[in-house]
Amino acid sequence: MKYYSTNGKAPLASLEKAVVKGLAEDRGLYMPERIEKMPKAFFENMSNMSFQDIAYNVASNFFGEDVDEDALQDIVYDTLSFDCPVVKVTDNIYSLELFHGPTLAFKDVGARFMARLLGYFIGKSGKSGLVNVLVATSGDTGSAVANGFLGVEGIHVYVLYPKGKVSPIQECQFTTLGQNITAIEVDGVFDDCQALVKSAFMDDELNKHMKLTSANSINVARFLPQSFYYFNAYARMKEKLNGNKLVMCVPSGNFGNICSALFGHEMGLPIDRFIAANNANDVFYNYLQTGQYNPKPSVQTLANAMDVGDPSNFARIYDLYGKSHARISQLISGATYSDEQIAETMRQCYNETGYILDPHGACGYRALKEGLKEGEIGVFCETAHPAKFKEKVDAILGADIEIPARLRAFMDGEKQSVEMSKDFADFKQYLMHQ
Ligand SMILES: *Cc1c(COP(=O)(O)O)cnc(C)c1O
């Protein structure tokens, strides 16, 4: 399978190149040349299949031509060593819990899959020399990528995060690891971190000095495997639908997660429509209403992993539907919520159902509560365990929620980070000395 760039001005790339380079030469995002429908029998049998088996079938559809069968199976089974349950919250709303992985966030799947696939290609090429992964994070990406790549030979990871703008629990998940993981604390906001990473990829001198790649959701090996979640969700929901239509609601920031769900839809997944739930960062919401895509600086919210003012994967969604606003807005609707609305939703859901939402999932739950029609059943992604945002969740609910042991273990580690300004010149100088 070949991969093309959404900007249309770069040569076609192999999967290996797309994974190693991350971004195409023309700064576009790679897209698979074909999206093949899964066979009918697969959809008929899938409620009897495990998450791992479903995922392996989907992975073969995308990567089967380019990765040896045994290796792909090993990568999928290693990545999905945990469950991905659907939990009933109200009569017609279910929570798809994507937070049972190593760092309790949905990005664990993409991060681990990418680390293993990159490791596979590095091993196969037989070339020596370190590959350096640069990743900008507003919180969860950093912990997922750092843990996914921890200890993978031949790869060093630099995690750039905005100083003081990620939760203490998130921060310790990527600043305490050591080994092949370096945390860089940037004096700025998430968009500054992302700009530093993008500039680094475009800098000739730096790229001659060291081999650079990305692990943000722009990488095909990060975002595509997230489609496994949606096939699994459908399999688990199939029996519960009783003739109702399935609506999938995805709390979105950089739009990698919902984009993978849309790829699933293109592969034949019977999801009737989608809702992209946003916090106060409403660029995509406004696009749906007006047809105009106007990026703007991000604003800080309670759901900080979705504080994105120019979602990178918009380019993929736009491309997938032939740049047609009509097609996009027919399939996807939007929602945007203030911090007050997020907090109110968390309290309401907790008091009425006992279910503890995290601030990101709360956007998804509320969008379904407000947007579901007669004859529809909604599933929203609960994208992180609420304990990852314990201070906020406790304050909002007036509770003292439990921290899972896996999360507590990170908090005992010692923070190590490198302080950095938001000027590219400083970042470049630092990397030139590595
Ligand atoms: C990253 C993240 C999101 C947003 O996902 P995108 O793929 O960037 O749209 C939502 N919730 C949580 C907890 C996240 O970490």
Side-chain angles (χ1 to χ4, degrees), residues 189-366:
V189 295
F190 168 71
D191 290 332
D192 296 317
C193 300
Q194 202 163 31
L196 286 178
V197 168
K198 283 190 178 172
S199 301
F201 290 132
M202 293 300 137
D203 190 281
D204 286 340
E205 199 186 356
L206 195 54
N207 282 273
K208 280 198 191 95
H209 174 70
M210 65 207 298
K211 201 185 261 179
L212 295 177
T213 190
S214 117
N216 275 69
S217 55
I218 52 174
N219 198 297
V220 290
R222 268 268 329 263
F223 99 92
L224 270 178
Q226 293 170 169
S227 62
F228 304 160
Y229 286 138
Y230 298 94
F231 285 90
N232 186 61
Y234 175 71
R236 308 287 84 97
M237 287 302 295
K238 214 176 152 201
E239 245 87 271
K240 300 182 174 75
L241 286 175
N242 282 324
N244 291 295
K245 288 175 174 165
L246 180 59
V247 177
M248 186 60 70
C249 180
V250 187
S252 295
N254 248 326
F255 282 71
N257 199 11
I258 195 168
C259 192
S260 76
L262 296 169
F263 271 68
H265 185 251
E266 291 300 297
M267 291 163 83
L269 199 49
I271 294 172
D272 194 60
R273 64 186 184 94
F274 293 84
I275 305 176
N278 287 136
N279 56 26
N281 293 279
D282 56 2
V283 169
F284 185 77
Y285 177 81
N286 290 336
Y287 165 76
L288 291 175
Q289 314 309 312
T290 65
Q292 304 294 316
Y293 180 74
N294 293 318
K296 53 187 181 188
S298 62
V299 295
Q300 216 184 319
T301 75
L302 268 176
N304 70 352
M306 299 172 6
D307 294 350
V308 182
D310 184 7
S312 2
N313 285 290
F314 177 75
R316 282 202 170 104
I317 297 175
Y318 201 48
D319 186 275
L320 191 59
Y321 299 107
K323 303 183 166 49
S324 163
H325 176 256
R327 284 177 70 193
I328 294 172
S329 55
Q330 202 170 21
L331 183 63
I332 314 168
S333 58
T336 169
Y337 299 113
S338 67
D339 279 359
E340 293 71 41
Q341 289 173 310
I342 291 172
E344 173 191 296
T345 305
M346 289 166 66
R347 277 191 291 266
Q348 178 269 325
C349 181
Y350 182 57
N351 292 337
E352 285 172 21
T353 72
Y355 193 77
I356 301 176
L357 294 165
D358 95 296
H360 306 81
C363 297
Y365 172 80
R366 180 157 179 154

Side-chain angles (χ1 to χ4, degrees), residues 20-40:
V20 172
K21 299 283 304 173
L23 204 62
E25 291 91 336
D26 60 0
R27 303 191 77 149
L29 275 60
Y30 284 117
M31 294 279 281
E33 229 180 1
R34 287 171 284 112
I35 303 177
E36 271 155 34
K37 294 254 186 282
M38 298 296 291
K40 234 177 119 190

